[in-house]
Amino acid sequence: MSNGCKICIPFCGQCTCPRGATGPTGVQGITGPTGLRGATGPTGIRGITGPTGLRGVTGATGLQGITGPTGPTGGFVSAFGGLMIAVGTMALTTTPTVVPLTIQSNESNNVDYSTANTITIVERGIYRVDVHVAGSTSPDDVVFTSLAINGSAQINTNQALLSTGDTTTTFVPSNYYLLDTGDQLTIQMSSSNNPTTFFFSVTGSGAILMVQRVV
């Protein structure tokens, strides 16, 4: 000790006491409050994409949708047939009258005969239409024979001939027509004077209406 004292008196200001042994560590103090959150750092580089996962289980089959409309029938559909009259007579006037056709052809396809004296078209298409009428009149007269479609006489299938009582007159108009489903075909006849009786031919059929689809 620098002051010649026999003991060290701490804090006397004159002695420099030797350092004593370190005491035990004290109890840890209470943790202070959490500091403020620092600023968010920059976004890191995007990692490598992982491998594709396993395929999931297939879901249940959905309900069946509504069935669509039926498409058009493919290919050409044939259509043909005819009507005719047996022996008989018919009173003619200046007003066109439908010829009674009561006998159907031996074979026919895709035509309808449900309307009396009429061929009704079932399949739309181009048809060859043939009209055949044979007979004589009393008294002599000019007779008009025509194909009628839906009741309207067709100019291009209209024939006028002088018919006499002693000679068979034959009418054979023929033509091609574009016909729609539901079109009705008949034969109409009239005379230039009133009245006139037409006698259908006793040989073969006195009147024939024939149709055949070509396209």
Side-chain angles (χ1 to χ4, degrees):
M1 290 176 286
S2 56
N3 60 359
C5 297
K6 293 181 179 182
I7 58 173
C8 179
I9 301 174
F11 312 112
C12 71
Q14 296 180 2
C15 297
T16 301
C17 298
R19 184 173 182 177
T22 301
T25 302
V27 179
Q28 181 173 333
I30 299 171
T31 302
T34 302
L36 297 177
R37 183 174 180 176
T40 302
T43 302
I45 298 174
R46 182 174 182 176
I48 299 172
T49 301
T52 302
L54 297 176
R55 181 174 182 175
V57 179
T58 302
T61 302
L63 297 176
Q64 182 172 335
I66 298 172
T67 302
T70 302
T73 302
F76 177 80
V77 179
S78 66
F80 59 87
L83 290 174
M84 58 199 76
I85 189 176
V87 176
T89 63
M90 181 176 176
L92 301 181
T93 66
T94 56
T95 301
T97 302
V98 174
V99 176
L101 303 171
T102 58
I103 303 173
Q104 298 178 15
S105 58
N106 291 338
E107 299 291 339
S108 62
N109 187 50
N110 285 322
V111 293
D112 181 75
Y113 302 119
S114 59
T115 302
N117 312 315
T118 303
I119 295 177
T120 301
I121 299 301
V122 175
E123 293 289 336
R124 185 179 190 274
I126 296 176
Y127 286 75
R128 173 173 173 163
V129 183
D130 295 291
V131 174
H132 176 93
V133 175
S136 58
T137 57
S138 178
D140 297 353
D141 202 350
V142 175
V143 175
F144 301 89
T145 299
S146 176
L147 167 70
I149 301 176
N150 299 324
S152 299
Q154 303 302 299
I155 297 176
N156 294 331
T157 317
N158 186 14
Q159 196 170 13
L161 295 174
L162 175 62
S163 179
T164 63
D166 57 359
T167 303
T168 297
T169 303
T170 303
F171 302 82
V172 286
S174 179
N175 212 328
Y176 292 86
Y177 291 91
L178 173 60
L179 300 175
D180 285 320
T181 300
D183 281 347
Q184 295 188 319
L185 281 63
T186 56
I187 298 175
Q188 292 182 350
M189 295 183 69
S190 61
S191 62
S192 60
N193 297 302
N194 288 324
T196 298
T197 301
F198 188 85
F199 298 87
F200 290 99
S201 175
V202 296
T203 303
S205 298
I208 303 173
L209 174 61
M210 304 290 289
V211 299
Q212 182 176 10
R213 185 184 181 193
V214 294
V215 178

